Amino acid sequence: MANRSNDRNWDATQHYKNAAVAKDYDRVRFSSTAGRVFNNQEKRVIRECFQDIPRDTVILDIPCGTGRLAEALLGSGLRVYGADISAEMLDVANERLAGYGGRFTTEVMDAFKLTGSERQFEAALCARVLMHFPLETQIKFLRGVAAVTRKRIVINHSLSSPYQRFRRWVKVLLGHQKSAGYPITNSEIKRLLGESGLAEVKRRRINALISEAVYIVAEKIR
Ligand SMILES: C[S@@+](CC[C@H](N)C(=O)[O-])C[C@H]1O[C@@H](n2cnc3c(N)ncnc32)[C@H](O)[C@@H]1O
């Protein structure tokens, strides 16, 4: 995925507030053969992370982006409340998911401003965003999501293990695309979850040898 979050001037909260960026989001990342395979695997894993939740539950998808993963949840019978700081990304999502009618609704929302909100969802998905911020900011983001969620939060992240750090080093040598700016170690995952009032229940990986992606099912502990 094209990613400039290790450029300190790149700002994930602003970058996607652009109609051209939003329109191109899926094509740029997921239209190659490898991209299509990864996208399908990721959607399968996300569906599995919510498989024991009663159908018809409303899942908060924040950030929803273009509705890529919301589509997977809607397809499995769940309802989705798609929230994102970018109205442009939500426009693409609304167009894509219009066929789901009232099962999919959206709202422009800033995850950093959710603490103290009266709103409550049973479960939430928080995908492909935390790795764009330094750890302290990730904690603020996830605390916001936890403030409006009663029980389960599924996050994805980029795992920083000795093997994955070696892989990154090789990728840089080979001149590959830059990876996410703020991958996270296992002890940092514990801190991120703990300081957001969450505990890990289980985790999933996709192609651990060739991908940093880690999917964590967490539940509220307070
Ligand atoms: C890489 S996209 C991921 C979208 C989607 N989760 C996916 O996996 O396709 C990151 C999204 O985070 C959104 N975002 C960034 N900061 C945010 C914030 N403070 N509150 C809500 N959304 C935010 C951006 O607008 C963008 O749509």
Side-chain angles (χ1 to χ4, degrees), residues 1-43:
M1 145 181 185
N3 193 315
R4 280 151 283 175
S5 58
N6 39 8
D7 168 351
R8 295 297 182 249
N9 295 318
W10 190 84
D11 181 354
T13 60
Q14 299 304 315
H15 176 73
Y16 299 93
K17 292 179 179 174
N18 175 303
V21 167
K23 196 165 161 279
D24 259 9
Y25 177 82
D26 287 73
R27 187 188 59 75
V28 167
R29 289 156 186 83
F30 305 112
S31 61
S32 67
T33 305
R36 278 203 302 274
V37 170
F38 185 81
N39 196 20
N40 286 335
Q41 290 176 323
E42 181 160 75
K43 286 181 173 180

Side-chain angles (χ1 to χ4, degrees), residues 1 12-13 16 25 30 42 61-66 68-69 83-86 89 109-112 127-129 132-133 141:
M1 145 181 185
T13 60
Y16 299 93
Y25 177 82
F30 305 112
E42 181 160 75
D61 178 8
I62 180 166
C64 169
T66 59
R68 187 177 67 88
L69 298 174
D84 200 289
I85 203 166
S86 160
M89 293 291 267
M109 205 184 264
D110 182 350
F112 294 119
R128 285 191 180 236
V129 71
H132 293 312
F133 302 112
F141 196 111

Side-chain angles (χ1 to χ4, degrees), residues 26-142:
D26 287 73
R27 187 188 59 75
V28 167
R29 289 156 186 83
F30 305 112
S31 61
S32 67
T33 305
R36 278 203 302 274
V37 170
F38 185 81
N39 196 20
N40 286 335
Q41 290 176 323
E42 181 160 75
K43 286 181 173 180
R44 181 170 45 75
V45 168
I46 294 297
R47 277 193 298 268
E48 284 170 11
C49 291
F50 289 96
Q51 71 187 358
D52 56 330
I53 302 272
R55 299 305 92 175
D56 253 11
T57 300
V58 180
I59 309 292
L60 170 66
D61 178 8
I62 180 166
C64 169
T66 59
R68 187 177 67 88
L69 298 174
E71 189 168 32
L73 297 178
L74 288 160
S76 71
L78 294 160
R79 295 171 176 264
V80 177
Y81 198 87
D84 200 289
I85 203 166
S86 160
E88 291 80 359
M89 293 291 267
L90 291 180
D91 285 346
V92 176
N94 276 314
E95 197 177 323
R96 168 191 225 146
L97 302 172
Y100 287 96
R103 301 179 63 81
F104 177 65
T105 41
T106 58
E107 182 181 332
V108 174
M109 205 184 264
D110 182 350
F112 294 119
K113 297 187 178 155
L114 292 178
T115 41
S117 164
E118 307 245 303
R119 196 189 296 263
Q120 285 293 306
F121 295 87
E122 279 314 302
L125 168 64
C126 180
R128 285 191 180 236
V129 71
L130 297 171
M131 62 289 274
H132 293 312
F133 302 112
L135 184 57
E136 298 303 327
T137 314
Q138 294 179 30
I139 293 168
K140 287 189 191 131
F141 196 111
L142 197 54

